[in-house]
Amino acid sequence: MNLHVRIILLFLVGMLALPVISQAAGISLGVATWYSMWDPYWGKYKAGLQLPIMPMSSFTPPDNMFKVDVKPNFMYGPVLSARLPDNVNLITRFMYGQFNAQKKEQYYLNYLVMDNIGLITRYDADLMLRYQFHDMVYLKTGFKYVHFKYEVLGLSLSYIGFFAAGRIEKENTYNEYAPFAGFGVMIPAVKDMLFIEIDSVFQFCFADESNKQFTIGRTEFSSDITYIPPYTKRKNVKKLGVEANCNLIYRLPVIPMSMSLGFKYNMYKKLVVEKDKALEYEHQYGATASVEYYFDISKSKAGNAASLKPE
């Protein structure tokens, strides 16, 4: 599904949500941030075949392990929620972040491969319904969408035998779709002011991977340059996981505003693991913070109704 189709779908969802929001008793608007430490499932695995060590060679390649180290960074974005009748809240959140990544050198057959990984750009969006069926306990369900993309410039050079060199350029794109459901509790620490909120959800994720690349190479036996035109490889991955949040929420007594500090942990396990993969789990965790301002629509509705009432 291309970007234009996603934008149209999001627009249609927004249009369908307008009648729901119009019935809201209140709306809150805020910003949220997440200092995220991310260990993706595609970040570590055995790269493939390795040339046996020659008896007369003093060079011993290290363990042939592909490892991408993603540096932690902030994700941030807006949060919008609507308080609906019957103790139901509609919450939507969008977050954006960029991550630097490094990959250790890798030995494949008789080649030393060095990859320079570009900036990883990531978008997270989720839509959630929350039903408060008890003063302290609530249910939540929704849908999460994650998109991230990065480019790789790979250089290869033979370390034994004849000379050979190559250049590979890759563009990796990931789209993830995950419905989720779970529950949470909100414990009052100080009446009407300070709360401790803990929630957890189970999630099932469908991930689409797209890898577009082309290769240029040359050896000492020929002055000709070998060129492999761009081609795309695709793969689908299914994951099962959990997400847990723990927040300390402070509601200001003077103005309708709340602030929160907390911790978020997200884990996935791949349902089908390739034989050469060493990392079947994915982890993302870190500190969170948010600020939200609440608009009470019920008062304005009551005022409008009073002004329309005949004398």
Side-chain angles (χ1 to χ4, degrees):
M1 186 185 299
N2 60 40
L3 183 60
H4 296 89
V5 175
R6 294 191 188 98
I7 292 174
I8 293 173
L9 288 176
L10 288 174
F11 176 76
L12 291 175
V13 170
M15 293 296 291
L16 292 173
L18 284 177
V20 177
I21 295 176
S22 67
Q23 302 299 318
I27 291 179
S28 65
L29 180 64
V31 293
T33 184
W34 182 19
Y35 185 71
S36 174
M37 288 167 275
W38 183 22
D39 295 322
Y41 68 90
W42 44 265
K44 182 179 179 182
Y45 62 88
K46 289 285 186 180
L49 297 175
Q50 187 171 345
L51 193 69
I53 304 302
M54 299 301 178
M56 302 300 295
S57 174
S58 60
F59 175 76
T60 303
D63 183 33
N64 191 27
M65 180 67 72
F66 176 102
K67 179 69 172 69
V68 175
D69 182 22
V70 180
K71 305 298 181 183
N73 202 4
F74 286 96
M75 297 190 71
Y76 51 88
V79 180
L80 174 66
S81 63
R83 192 180 68 187
L84 306 176
D86 300 323
N87 298 321
V88 176
N89 287 68
L90 177 65
I91 304 169
T92 181
R93 181 185 293 108
F94 175 82
M95 302 194 83
Y96 165 82
Q98 291 185 320
F99 297 85
N100 288 304
Q102 293 179 344
K103 179 192 166 196
K104 63 175 286 188
E105 59 188 20
Q106 170 189 343
Y107 293 87
Y108 182 79
L109 294 176
N110 63 320
Y111 286 92
L112 167 63
V113 180
M114 296 168 288
D115 284 345
N116 180 24
I117 298 179
L119 206 61
I120 302 176
T121 302
R122 173 168 173 149
Y123 304 89
D124 289 17
D126 57 78
L127 181 66
M128 178 180 67
L129 274 175
R130 170 171 158 168
Y131 172 58
Q132 190 94 23
F133 68 91
H134 186 271
D135 290 341
M136 295 174 56
V137 186
Y138 58 85
L139 298 175
K140 57 189 296 188
T141 184
F143 185 82
K144 181 190 301 183
Y145 169 68
V146 175
H147 169 87
F148 57 93
K149 181 178 180 180
Y150 65 94
E151 296 180 352
V152 180
L153 172 60
L155 301 175
S156 62
L157 182 69
S158 61
Y159 58 86
I160 58 174
F162 62 89
F163 168 80
R167 172 191 176 104
I168 302 176
E169 294 188 17
K170 302 178 183 179
E171 182 180 277
N172 297 328
T173 304
Y174 295 77
N175 291 293
E176 300 184 350
Y177 313 87
F180 61 84
F183 67 95
V185 296
M186 181 173 286
I187 305 169
V190 178
K191 185 178 180 181
D192 298 329
M193 187 179 296
L194 194 64
F195 300 85
I196 300 172
E197 183 180 33
I198 302 171
D199 66 63
S200 178
V201 298
F202 294 95
Q203 47 196 4
F204 185 80
C205 178
F206 304 88
D208 296 328
E209 302 178 13
S210 174
N211 173 264
K212 183 179 180 181
Q213 66 181 49
F214 72 88
T215 305
I216 299 176
R218 182 178 179 273
T219 70
E220 67 177 345
F221 298 116
S222 174
S223 60
D224 296 334
I225 295 178
T226 303
Y227 173 71
I228 301 177
Y231 64 96
T232 301
K233 296 188 295 183
R234 299 184 183 276
K235 184 170 67 172
N236 296 320
V237 177
K238 295 179 181 179
K239 303 182 291 183
L240 186 67
V242 296
E243 179 182 294
N245 296 271
C246 181
N247 296 295
L248 183 65
I249 303 173
Y250 174 66
R251 292 179 179 171
L252 279 68
V254 181
I255 56 177
M257 180 181 289
S258 66
M259 299 182 294
S260 71
L261 291 173
F263 187 86
K264 179 179 179 179
Y265 172 70
N266 190 78
M267 184 275 291
Y268 281 117
K269 181 184 186 300
K270 294 173 62 179
L271 297 182
V272 178
V273 182
E274 295 86 344
K275 294 181 180 179
D276 59 349
K277 291 295 176 71
L279 193 66
E280 59 180 300
Y281 290 92
E282 176 174 348
H283 304 275
Q284 191 173 12
Y285 52 92
T288 60
S290 68
V291 177
E292 295 186 44
Y293 188 87
Y294 180 73
F295 301 90
D296 193 349
I297 302 178
S298 59
K299 293 182 180 179
S300 61
K301 288 182 178 179
N304 293 335
S307 64
L308 295 173
K309 185 177 179 181
E311 297 181 358

